[in-house]
Every structure is written in structure tokens, then in C-alpha cells.
Amino acid sequence: MRFSTTILPIAALLTSTFFLMAGAGLMGILLPVRGSIEGWSSYEIGLFGTSYAIAFMAGCVFIPWVVRSAGFVRTFAALNALLAISVLLCAIVVHPLAWIAFRAMTGFGLAGTYMIVESWLNERVTNETRGQIYSVYMITTMAAMMGGQYVLPFSQPELTIPFMLCAILFALAVIPTTLSRAQSPAPLTNVKLDVLMLFRNSPVAAVGTILAGVLSGAWNNMAPVFGQQIGLSTAEIASIVVVAMAGGIAFQIPLGRISDRVDRRYVMVATGAIGVAAAFAGVQFSGLGASIVFAVSFVVGGVVYPAYSLAVAHANDHAADADFIKVSSGLLILYGVGTMIGPLYAASLMDAFGPAGIFQSIGSAAALYAAYAFYRTFRRVAPPVSERSDFQAVPLARTQTPVTLTLDPRAEAALEAESVEMQAEKDDEMDPATVDDEDEPDADLRDEVMTRTAD
């Protein structure tokens, strides 16, 4: 597939994605660092992450209604304005309670903007280009997140400049998309969650997804606070976050490939065990210097990011291909529940035991992840290798929305099944044989007229 026919038509959308993710990356590291400089408690800073996660999930539920009322372009522009306002308000009103509310505004706005961009991208996807566009989109989000975090070392977090830069990035995201000639996509669909179905389908995937959210929420929100508390520079703080992402990239592929060949639950056990070992090393040796912290962060990232991907892959092993979007969307909501818990859990331990409390939270969550996966190996037989779905890496699950799933190559069968079902329903509505005479007020009169005509 040629670059000119596949990527160039979505260049404007990818550019908007880059600016959005860069702004999100900068804001995600800026607020915890500045909060720590202000002397706020770890628990107060942890509430930033929890409020963000709650509002992000709310955005996934309510933004489709807003789009139906105002349209894609107007909603996208309004949400980006909300993002810029939220970060500028953080510079004006420097108080933890205010920042909790402003961070919630950010979560709601980012959920909506991600969904709109992804809906536009989905309009450009064909079965032949789905994998390529999905990969490019994921690479763009990862590169932008890393790049945004490295803006912080070139500015002073105690000043207003980084807040202004973040607002500029959000504002820049409006320009490519609103000026794009891409046709507005189909209306967004609301998220439907069937928790009982998710647990019936795969208990270990449901529980594992929640715990993966706890791991992600704890690390992504509190790692900058940890770095500030142990005296790292802003460049080093940005680096431990980026190094963890690099660890996630490095670990996902080998863990995924192994899980395609053996019971995935054993790989989940191994992943949790690695997390426990990395957390123990963090507690014991993180005070020995930045190089040790970087090494530990790399391994922690190798657990935090693949944990969710493994749980989703295991769930899809037990689900029909046509249920991929339904199952994965539900797991994404459960993951969001975990990301609400993670920041507060890590913050509480950091307030009680110092900076190393972040590793205690990660170690305990990883231990539960491994223990429950091991327990489930005695409760259910693993499906044959030939019947499993292929593992797919999910680099930034915390930025995904249900719309993201429609870009995933695994969604092809689900989308085709949905299309066939919708066409069948349409055909049934148009088929005269399916019309009940009792539903037609003129049916008796019509029969009488036909009888008289025959006579």
C-alpha cells in the first residue's frame, strides 16, 4: 500500500493527534511536579489522577450525545478550547482542590477529542489499510507523549511558561482537523458495559484488567512525584517516565509472542512476578542514584504496559471474533476503574512510607495480578493454541477510547458481523412478508375492497 494513498489523506488528523498527545504528555508530568514543588501531599496529587480517570470515562459515555447535537467540528473545537482553558486556569489558581477540578476538565476534553479524531480516521480505514493506519496512529501517540514530556526540562515548572506552552499545543490541535476536508464520520455510538458478561467470559481477564489499571494509574500519575521527592532534575524525571514507556515497548512483543504459544495465564503470572521483583529492587535500591532508578523504571514499564494487553488477549481467546469490540470496550471501562484506584493507592503509601511507597503499591498490585492468574489456571482449561487470537500490543491503553478499538485489525470480523446484522434488520423492515396486518390500520378495509372487486 503506497504512502501517498494511505497516510497522506489522514495527515491532518495525525497532526492534530500529535499536538493533542504532546499537550497531554506535558500536562501529565507538569502538574505532579509543580504540585510537589508547592509542597502538596502525595494524596492531594494522587487525586489529580483519579479525577482525570473519572472524567475521562464520563467523556467516553457523554461525548457521543454532544456530537449528535453540535456536530464533530464544533464539538472538537469546543473541547480543545476547554483543554486550553483548564491548563491556563492551573497557572492562575494554584491550589490542589482547584487543580482536581481542572484536571477533570482535561480528562473529559481529551476523551472527546480522541474519540472524534479516531472516528475521522476510521472513515478512512479499509480492511486492507486497517493494520497500517492503526500502527501509524499508535506510533504517533507514543512519540507525541514522549516529546511532550521532554518539553518540561526546557522550561521551569515553577513559572507559568510551561502552562502556556501546553495551552498552545492544545490550540494547535484545532487547526489541522477543523481545516481538513475530510467528511464528517458516522455518529458516535454510546458505550455499553455488561460486567457480568465480562466476568463470565474470562474472570482472570476482568480482574487482571482492573489490576493493570491500578498499576498504570499508580505509575503514570505518581512517578513524577517520586522523582521530585528523591531529588531528580526535571530532565531526569521526564526520562524515568519515557524509559518506562520504552520498557513497555521492549517487553510487550516477547511476552506477547510467548503467550501465543503457552497458556497466557502463565505469562500473566510471570509478568506479575517480574513486577514484584522490580518493585522490591525499587524499594531497596532507588536511593543509590539515577541510573538505578532508570533501570528499575524500565522493568516497571515492562510490566505496567503489557499487563493490560495480556488480559485483553486472554479475554478475546474466550470470545467470538464478532464480540471483539464489545468485550474490549467493556475491559477498557474496567481498566478505567483501576486507573481511578491506582493514584490514590500509591499516594497513600507514599505519604505513609516515603517515595518508595510507589514501588510498594506496584509490587502489591503485581502480586495480586500474578496470584489470581495462577489461581485461575486450576479453574479452567486453556483454549487450544489453534483457537486463540493473535496477541496485539497496546502501547498506551490509558489514552484509548472505545472508538480506538474500531481501528484495531482484530475489529475487522466484528465490524463485518455488525454490518451484516444491520443489513439483515434493514431487509426485514422492508420485506412485506414480515409486516403484520394487525399493525396496518387499513388492512381490513383493503381486504374488503379486494373482495368486492373480485365479486
Side-chain angles (χ1 to χ4, degrees):
M1 194 64 61
R2 292 189 303 171
F3 177 87
S4 59
T5 59
T6 305
I7 305 303
L8 285 182
I10 61 171
L13 299 174
L14 292 175
T15 303
S16 284
T17 299
F18 185 88
F19 287 132
L20 270 175
M21 295 302 300
L26 174 56
M27 193 174 184
I29 194 172
L30 172 60
L31 296 192
V33 170
R34 176 62 181 269
S36 187
I37 291 174
E38 294 292 332
W40 300 339
S41 69
S42 297
Y43 189 81
E44 289 173 324
I45 298 173
L47 284 171
F48 302 164
T50 298
S51 66
Y52 173 91
I54 293 173
F56 191 94
M57 289 179 59
C60 291
V61 174
F62 292 109
I63 288 299
W65 298 99
V66 179
V67 170
R68 290 192 189 100
S69 175
F72 278 87
V73 175
R74 291 189 184 92
T75 304
F76 186 77
L79 290 174
N80 275 278
L82 181 68
L83 292 172
I85 290 169
S86 68
V87 70
L88 291 175
L89 284 173
C90 288
I92 297 171
V93 185
V94 185
H95 190 280
L97 293 180
W99 281 23
I100 292 170
F102 301 153
R103 191 61 173 149
M105 291 168 60
T106 307
F108 187 84
L110 285 175
T113 50
Y114 294 162
M115 291 175 77
I116 290 172
V117 168
E118 290 160 358
S119 295
W120 255 311
L121 287 174
N122 195 45
E123 287 294 303
R124 298 283 182 164
V125 167
T126 64
N127 290 339
E128 292 75 21
T129 63
R130 185 179 303 278
Q132 185 177 5
I133 289 178
Y134 180 75
S135 298
V136 171
Y137 177 69
M138 284 303 181
I139 291 170
T140 301
T141 58
M142 180 70 78
M145 262 308 242
M146 292 180 175
Q149 288 161 350
Y150 270 114
V151 172
L152 187 64
F154 297 99
S155 59
Q156 295 176 287
E158 63 273 13
L159 301 179
T160 59
I161 293 176
F163 295 91
M164 295 178 182
L165 292 174
C166 190
I168 289 171
L169 288 169
F170 287 140
L172 285 172
V174 180
I175 299 173
T177 299
T178 53
L179 294 181
S180 172
R181 292 180 295 176
Q183 184 178 359
S184 293
L188 295 171
T189 55
N190 292 95
V191 180
K192 295 181 180 179
L193 177 62
D194 187 345
V195 176
L196 293 179
M197 181 275 291
L198 294 174
F199 276 88
R200 285 195 301 267
N201 177 64
S202 174
V204 71
V207 174
T209 296
I210 295 173
L211 291 171
V214 173
L215 289 167
S216 177
W219 177 257
N220 290 318
N221 290 282
M222 302 309 296
V225 179
F226 164 76
Q228 181 71 25
Q229 290 181 351
I230 65 174
L232 297 181
S233 67
T234 53
E236 289 171 333
I237 292 172
S239 295
I240 64 172
V241 177
V242 171
V243 163
M245 291 184 182
I249 296 171
F251 276 59
Q252 281 212 59
I253 299 303
L255 287 175
R257 293 293 177 264
I258 294 172
S259 75
D260 283 340
R261 293 170 173 79
V262 301
D263 190 335
R264 290 197 207 274
R265 292 169 295 186
Y266 291 138
V267 181
M268 294 174 71
V269 171
T271 301
I274 294 171
V276 172
F280 178 81
V283 171
Q284 298 296 321
F285 308 118
S286 60
L288 299 181
S291 59
I292 298 295
V293 173
F294 290 155
V296 171
S297 299
F298 182 83
V299 180
V300 166
V303 172
V304 167
Y305 295 107
Y308 172 72
S309 301
L310 289 168
V312 172
H314 184 72
N316 287 316
D317 287 343
H318 293 278
D321 291 343
D323 292 332
F324 167 76
I325 294 179
K326 180 170 64 176
V327 170
S328 298
S329 295
L331 292 176
L332 199 57
I333 299 299
L334 293 183
Y335 179 84
V337 172
T339 60
M340 296 179 196
I341 301 169
L344 294 183
Y345 179 48
S348 298
L349 292 180
M350 292 174 75
D351 278 340
F353 303 106
I358 188 174
F359 293 114
Q360 295 173 344
S361 67
I362 288 172
S364 56
L368 287 174
Y369 183 88
Y372 190 71
F374 183 69
Y375 163 74
R376 288 300 304 178
T377 61
F378 297 100
R379 307 292 297 177
R380 188 179 191 179
V381 178
V385 174
S386 59
E387 297 180 7
R388 297 181 198 168
S389 60
D390 292 334
F391 176 87
Q392 292 284 340
V394 185
L396 288 171
R398 62 195 170 106
T399 66
Q400 283 197 325
T401 72
V403 182
T404 315
L405 300 171
T406 62
L407 298 172
D408 193 304
R410 292 171 293 180
E412 182 178 336
L415 293 170
E416 288 181 353
E418 182 180 356
S419 177
V420 171
E421 183 179 350
M422 291 176 62
Q423 184 61 44
E425 291 177 356
K426 184 177 179 180
D427 292 342
D428 287 341
E429 291 176 358
M430 298 178 64
D431 187 355
T434 63
V435 178
D436 190 346
D437 285 348
E438 294 180 357
D439 294 334
E440 297 184 48
D442 296 328
D444 294 336
L445 177 61
R446 182 194 60 194
D447 291 341
E448 182 179 352
V449 170
M450 292 181 66
T451 302
R452 290 181 178 178
T453 303
D455 291 338

